[in-house]
Amino acid sequence: MVRSRLLWRLYAGYAVLVVLTTAMLGIMVARSVEGDLLRQIESSLRSDAVLLGEIARPYLSAAPDSVFQRRIWVLGAQTGTRLTVIRPDGVVIADSREDPSGMDNHKMRPEVLEALARGVGTASRYSHTLDQEMMYVAVPLRSGADVAGFIRAALPLARVDERVANVRSIVLLGGLSAALLALLIGFLVARSFTRPIARMTAAVSYTHLTLPTKR
């Protein structure tokens, strides 16, 4: 009984410390990994836009081309990314998801304005064209000092959230596994530590009970 009480008193404090520490570290790691993942997705979209820019350059100063539009459709399907080619005046000349002739002027889109000001623009917002939340990355295509147009790449935020959720699940599973292992090891250590103390306590109690009482 003495050993049991001592074991659980010692182990309870250790268990609380392990749980709190694991939770704090798990939150920190999850946020860090999620941030890295979002930056990787933005970097990938930017790379897609930059590569498309070299393909789109000859078409930015020409009339809309059905062959180029079909090529953008194919590239979008292959990359799983929505690709949009925009002239400097905001007119869309090609898009991998919609008919550009029916699309609004994109000159005032947040990602386009930021790309013009900073060299790359990012935005997460609702797309009325596709009727869903999207993550956009836009880059300007320059011809000397002038802007020849803008290239934009985008992914549905649902797919981005799915990747983030997968990362959270992995971090959670890893944290739980580490916590359970630490709790098991702590229990074994606490049991081995309290065993000799319990024996000493029991021996002292036995000696006290067996000693003759002075009268």
Side-chain angles (χ1 to χ4, degrees), residues 17-118:
L17 180 62
V18 167
V19 171
L20 291 178
T21 302
T22 302
M24 291 177 61
L25 288 177
I27 292 173
M28 293 173 60
V29 171
R31 288 180 177 176
S32 177
V33 173
E34 288 171 18
D36 289 341
L37 178 60
L38 290 175
R39 284 189 289 271
Q40 289 176 11
I41 293 174
E42 290 180 3
S43 178
S44 177
L45 291 175
R46 182 179 180 181
S47 298
D48 290 342
V50 170
L51 292 174
L52 176 58
E54 297 308 311
I55 299 173
R57 187 182 294 275
Y59 299 92
L60 285 167
S61 58
D65 189 307
S66 59
V67 175
F68 177 56
Q69 170 61 26
R70 286 196 296 271
R71 189 174 183 184
I72 296 301
W73 274 88
V74 172
L75 288 174
Q78 289 176 342
T79 60
T81 305
R82 183 188 179 187
L83 304 170
T84 309
V85 181
I86 309 165
R87 289 197 320 213
D89 59 1
V91 173
V92 177
I93 64 171
D95 188 270
S96 63
R97 295 288 300 276
E98 294 293 325
D99 181 0
S101 63
M103 295 175 65
D104 295 335
N105 189 288
H106 280 39
K107 187 175 183 178
M108 300 305 293
R109 293 293 194 269
E111 64 277 5
V112 174
L113 292 174
E114 187 179 2
L116 181 61
R118 300 184 178 181

Side-chain angles (χ1 to χ4, degrees), residues 118-181:
R118 300 184 178 181
V120 60
T122 61
S124 295
R125 57 180 177 78
Y126 183 78
S127 170
H128 293 282
T129 304
L130 300 181
D131 194 27
Q132 61 180 317
E133 296 286 338
M134 301 286 290
M135 173 188 284
Y136 296 98
V137 174
V139 297
L141 186 60
R142 297 190 177 275
S143 178
D146 299 326
V147 175
F150 300 92
I151 312 298
R152 191 180 68 178
L155 279 176
L157 273 181
R159 287 173 57 186
V160 176
D161 291 340
E162 183 180 355
R163 295 184 189 181
V164 172
N166 289 337
V167 169
R168 287 175 182 167
S169 299
I170 293 173
V171 172
L172 177 61
L173 181 60
L176 287 175
S177 300
L180 290 175
L181 180 60

